[in-house]
Amino acid sequence: MTNTMTARTATASPAARPLLTAGAVAGPLFLAVGAVGGLTREGFDFTRNALSQLSLGGLGWIQQTAFLLTGALLVAGAVGLRRALPGSTWAPRLVGVFGASFVLDGFFAADPGAGFPVGAPEGRVTELSGHGLVHLAGGTVGFLALCAAFLVLARHLDHPWALASRVVAAVVLLGFAASGATVLAFTLAAALGLVWLTAVAIRLHA
C-alpha cells in the first residue's frame, strides 16, 4: 500500500495539481475569514457562537462569500482527488458532497442566537427557521461526508497517515456529538477536519 501511495503521489498529473491546491486552500481560507470575523465583530463569542452565525448582520456577506468560495474550492479539490487517486471512487464523491454543503450554507444562513448579532436573544437557538433548518441539515450531511471521506482515504495512505485520518474522523464525529453541550467543541473539531483535508491534499500533491 505504501508503494502504491508513493507512486501515485509522485506522478500526480499536471492537471490534478492545481485542483489539489484549490482543495488545500479551502480550509485555511474559511478558518481565517471566520477567525478575523469572530475577533472583530461586536457580540461574537467563540464559546457561544458558531462561525456560521457570522453570515448574519451587516457584514454577513463576508462570511457568506467565504462559504461559497470555500465550497467551490472543495469541489475543485474533489476533482483533483479523483485524478490523483484513480482507484478511489467514494473519497472524491464524499469530499464533493462536503464542498456542496458549504455552497448550500452560503445561501441559507444560520439563525441568530446566543447574543449574536447584537440584539439577538441571549439564549441558544431552540426553534429553527426554514433557512436555519436547511443550514443545519447541510452542515450535518457535509461533515458526516467528510468523516466518511477520511475513512476511505485512509485506505490510500501509508500507515501513519492512514491512522491519523481515522483518528481525525473520530474526533470530528465526537465534536459534532458534543455540539449540543458546547459550540466550541464542534468549532474546534470542524477546524481539525478542514486542516486535515488540507494536509491530505498537500500530501497527494507532492
Side-chain angles (χ1 to χ4, degrees):
M1 186 65 70
T2 300
N3 291 338
T4 301
M5 173 64 190
T6 301
R8 286 174 178 166
T9 302
T11 58
S13 69
R17 285 176 177 162
L19 294 169
L20 289 171
T21 298
V25 168
L29 170 67
F30 185 79
L31 294 174
V33 173
V36 172
L39 291 171
T40 58
R41 293 189 61 185
E42 183 182 359
F44 190 89
D45 183 343
F46 286 101
T47 65
R48 302 179 63 202
N49 304 112
L51 293 183
S52 295
Q53 290 181 298
L54 290 169
S55 293
L56 304 170
L59 294 176
W61 64 270
I62 297 175
Q63 195 66 27
Q64 288 177 316
T65 301
F67 266 111
L68 296 173
L69 182 55
T70 299
L73 290 170
L74 287 169
V75 171
V79 177
L81 281 177
R82 184 71 182 91
R83 295 180 179 180
L85 297 173
S88 177
T89 299
W90 280 104
R93 290 178 180 177
L94 290 165
V95 173
V97 169
F98 183 54
S101 74
F102 272 76
V103 174
L104 182 68
D105 285 351
F107 288 108
F108 294 89
D111 286 313
F116 189 85
V118 175
E122 288 297 323
R124 297 189 66 175
V125 178
T126 56
E127 294 185 10
L128 295 175
S129 65
H131 61 81
L133 182 61
V134 173
H135 184 95
L136 178 61
T140 300
V141 171
F143 276 99
L144 289 176
L146 180 65
C147 292
F150 288 154
L151 296 177
V152 175
L153 283 168
R155 297 186 300 189
H156 298 272
L157 300 170
D158 52 19
H159 175 66
W161 283 75
L163 177 61
S165 195
R166 295 184 178 101
V167 170
V168 170
V171 171
V172 174
L173 282 174
L174 287 173
F176 190 84
S179 63
T182 169
V183 172
L184 185 59
F186 176 69
T187 299
L188 294 176
L192 175 63
L194 287 166
V195 169
W196 183 247
L197 185 59
T198 291
V200 171
I202 292 172
R203 172 73 167 166
L204 293 172
H205 182 284

